[in-house]
Amino acid sequence: MFTRVFKRTMSSTHEQLPRCIKPTYYKLHCWDISNESFKGKVDIQFDVKSPTREIQLNQKLLKFHDAFLSINGASKEVESISKDDKNETVSFKLQDEIVMGQKVSISINYEGTIRNDMAGFYSSSYLNDNGKKEYI
């Protein structure tokens, strides 16, 4: 298992997402990593810029199991999760509207395939000095 923590500092090259929320902090865990698949969990903190009942994020061919929203420390499961693989997004419908000033975070459990097309979580290989294929 590995954990990665980072703050958002760069613009995404993806299609522009709604601006009602702004991710400020990500904590990513991945485990059960094999040559073919992995499981993951991400915790994301947000600044709410305008009221909304939906959180939309980028994704590429992931399978989502569940997601829990925390508002000012109170946690509840999201109302629904819907993927749009064509536009590479996922939407989390919320039971209640989130508004400016609230401390909001979402915790998402998912899994995916280790890809070989240099998109998402992908495998890459090279030949070592002995001519043996190594993976990174």
Side-chain angles (χ1 to χ4, degrees):
M1 180 173 111
F2 73 88
T3 300
R4 174 102 192 230
V5 177
F6 54 95
K7 288 197 175 208
R8 182 179 172 164
T9 58
M10 297 175 52
S11 298
S12 174
T13 58
H14 294 286
E15 185 176 322
Q16 188 71 36
L17 294 173
R19 295 178 184 238
C20 51
I21 58 168
K22 179 182 176 185
T24 58
Y25 179 84
Y26 295 78
K27 184 174 184 181
L28 177 68
H29 301 271
C30 291
W31 65 93
D32 287 346
I33 301 169
S34 70
N35 289 334
E36 298 174 0
S37 64
F38 67 97
K39 293 180 181 174
K41 177 182 179 184
V42 64
D43 299 310
I44 308 170
Q45 295 174 4
F46 298 96
D47 280 342
V48 181
K49 300 297 184 185
S50 62
T52 186
R53 289 190 62 167
E54 178 180 41
I55 293 174
Q56 189 177 66
L57 302 171
N58 293 111
Q59 65 86 28
K60 187 162 180 97
L61 302 174
L62 296 174
K63 179 180 178 185
F64 296 91
H65 296 291
D66 54 34
F68 294 88
L69 186 72
S70 176
I71 302 173
N72 295 328
S75 181
K76 64 172 92 175
E77 194 165 6
V78 299
E79 191 171 286
S80 66
I81 302 170
S82 58
K83 285 183 19 167
D84 180 345
D85 284 330
K86 180 181 176 196
N87 291 315
E88 299 179 351
T89 60
V90 61
S91 295
F92 301 91
K93 304 284 187 213
L94 312 178
Q95 296 173 9
D96 301 311
E97 187 174 66
I98 54 176
V99 297
M100 289 175 58
Q102 292 178 318
K103 288 189 171 207
V104 177
S105 64
I106 192 167
S107 181
I108 306 165
N109 292 295
Y110 62 95
E111 64 183 271
T113 301
I114 303 291
R115 302 172 56 85
N116 59 12
D117 60 359
M118 296 185 71
F121 197 177
Y122 65 90
S123 176
S124 183
S125 65
Y126 67 96
L127 295 177
N128 69 16
D129 292 339
N130 297 324
K132 182 181 174 189
K133 191 178 215 180
E134 299 280 348
Y135 292 91
I136 50 175

